[in-house]
Structure formats: structure tokens, C-alpha cells
Amino acid sequence: DVKVTQSSRYLVKRTGEKVFLECVQDMDHENMFWYRQDPGLGLRLIYFSYDVKMKEKGDIPEGYSVSREKKERFSLILESASTNQTSMYLCASSSGGVGRNTEAFFGQGTRLTVV
Amino acid sequence: AQTVTQSQPEMSVQEAETVTLSCTYDTSESDYYLFWYKQPPSRQMILVIRQEAYKQQNATENRFSVNFQKAAKSFSLKISDSQLGDAAMYFCAYRSARRDDKIIFGKGTRLHILP
């Protein structure tokens, strides 16, 4: 079974803390994504990476950064957590190819609360 | 920029009946992929069905089928013989055929199944 694993299911952090959300995939996928999910807003792309050490900003990159040092791991970093970053964070990966293997596979999500 | 629009925030259907969820998208590209994802309450996002834009035939997966109208940029999901387990958030998504492109999601439709 293909797998995308996020390091935490639930996290509670304090305002101003530096927060790391980790994501690992075992499918040798080129592309990895971080989305934020909020009620009524759907999934909004924060950052994505199509190769090791490569990253592209999504629609809402402000307040976030990412790191991809190895193909299987994609980290989301909140440099200084704020209460408006309280949300569900979803990691996904996909093949960079064409044909059948084009869809994204998702992790279980991390519900982050910033207090 | 590509966009995905789901105009129905919530829908309800009687068990065993048929329901259609709407999705429209905007793109200037000719080669792309469209997806419907399902997110059950507190559970992982999973792929329901995939459509390649170059294929004229509508995709079908058991009780799930799509109506893909490329000229109209419309991609609706039909669920036949609705079951209680179909209750979930459904997201429409788009991805171009380029290797390094992102996957864009709509805001979702929450589907309720009435017993």
C-alpha cells in the first residue's frame, strides 16, 4: 500500500513558537505538496516541490517555509506561529509522470492549534 | 491561472437515490487531468475517480461516474444508489499534464445521505 505519513495527528503550540510539520512518502514520488484546509475555503496550496531542493510558492505561502533535502521527505515550517495559522494541514505526494499515476496521495492530516 | 469551482457547498440525497455534484474549471491548457476526491469525516482523503482530458469517454468506477464536458469546462460526479458510507466532503481537483505542476482543488461539497 502506498503511504504518506505525517509526523503528528494533533499539535498544540504557543504563539511565536517555531513549528515543524514533517511528511514522508514511500512511493518515490517527485512531487510533494502542503495544503491548508479550512471550513468553507477548501484546500489551499501553501508550497509544493517537484524535486529535491526545489520549491514553488502556492497560493498562501506567507508565514510558512519548506524544506526538501531528501526525495521522500517534505517539511513545512511555521517560523513564528500565530493564531491565524490554526488549521488542518494536509501533505500529499504525486508522480511527476503522465497517465494513470497522476493523482495525489494524502497523509492523514495534522490538526494544528496555536494558542 | 487555473481555477476550480464547486458551486454547491452542501447537498443531501436519500439513500439509494442518485445525486450529481457539479464542478467547473478554467484553464488555457489542452492536456490535463481532473479528479474527484472523497474525505469522510475525520478520515483520510482518497481518490474516487480520475479523468484524462484527452479521453472523450467518461470515466466510471462502480457506482461513481463523471460527465466530462471539455468545451464547457465542466466535470460533474454522479453517485448512483447512494449509500450511508458515501457521506463525506467531495473535492474536485485539476492538474495539468506538465510534470512539475501543482494540483488545484475546489472548495468542496459536503454530501449528506438521508436514511
Side-chain angles (χ1 to χ4, degrees):
Chain A
D1 247 2
V2 295
K3 229 173 182 176
V4 179
T5 304
Q6 294 183 229
S7 53
S8 303
R9 191 74 189 264
Y10 300 95
L11 269 182
V12 179
K13 296 292 182 181
R14 295 196 178 277
T15 302
E17 275 193 79
K18 190 168 186 177
V19 181
F20 293 86
L21 303 183
E22 307 285 347
C23 176
V24 177
Q25 51 97 0
D26 65 359
M27 295 165 281
D28 200 35
H29 281 166
E30 292 85 356
N31 299 340
M32 295 189 75
F33 310 86
W34 275 107
Y35 292 92
R36 172 176 169 160
Q37 183 179 9
D38 299 288
L41 298 178
L43 274 70
R44 293 181 292 167
L45 183 64
I46 305 172
Y47 269 98
F48 73 104
S49 168
Y50 55 88
D51 202 350
V52 175
K53 298 191 186 293
M54 304 302 289
K55 60 184 179 184
E56 292 282 342
K57 291 181 179 179
D59 300 317
I60 52 165
E62 297 79 17
Y64 304 94
S65 62
V66 290
S67 172
R68 194 166 180 203
E69 296 296 319
K70 292 185 177 181
K71 190 175 186 179
E72 67 270 19
R73 185 180 297 270
F74 192 36
S75 303
L76 179 69
I77 304 155
L78 286 67
E79 297 288 343
S80 176
S82 64
T83 55
N84 63 13
Q85 292 178 310
T86 292
S87 187
M88 171 70 84
Y89 290 87
L90 297 175
C91 175
S93 72
S94 76
S95 166
V98 297
R100 287 197 59 78
N101 299 322
T102 53
E103 75 267 28
F105 294 85
F106 282 84
Q108 76 276 29
T110 296
R111 185 164 293 284
L112 173 67
T113 302
V114 183
V115 298
Chain B
Q2 297 94 348
T3 58
V4 177
T5 302
Q6 294 178 251
S7 57
Q8 305 149 315
E10 281 193 75
M11 293 188 73
S12 296
V13 63
Q14 210 73 36
E15 196 176 1
E17 296 293 306
T18 295
V19 64
T20 299
L21 280 58
S22 301
C23 173
T24 58
Y25 59 94
D26 190 25
T27 183
S28 57
E29 306 208 357
S30 59
D31 197 11
Y32 49 87
Y33 305 94
L34 296 165
F35 311 95
W36 278 99
Y37 282 87
K38 172 185 178 180
Q39 187 182 42
S42 302
R43 291 184 62 188
Q44 208 153 340
M45 187 95 74
I46 57 172
L47 179 71
V48 174
I49 199 164
R50 174 205 297 107
Q51 175 80 42
E52 290 90 342
Y54 64 86
K55 289 186 177 179
Q56 291 188 335
Q57 188 172 6
N58 289 326
T60 299
E61 291 284 346
N62 301 313
R63 297 183 294 108
F64 298 87
S65 61
V66 298
N67 183 5
F68 172 48
Q69 303 285 333
K70 191 172 185 178
K73 296 181 181 173
S74 170
F75 183 61
S76 60
L77 175 70
K78 185 171 85 170
I79 306 174
S80 303
D81 185 25
S82 298
Q83 300 175 1
L84 294 177
D86 295 333
M89 281 291 289
Y90 286 82
F91 292 95
C92 179
Y94 164 98
R95 192 208 125 169
S96 84
R98 288 183 288 136
R99 290 182 67 86
D100 57 353
D101 207 14
K102 56 193 175 184
I103 301 176
I104 301 165
F105 287 81
K107 292 185 177 181
T109 296
R110 183 170 297 281
L111 180 64
H112 303 277
I113 310 296
L114 307 174

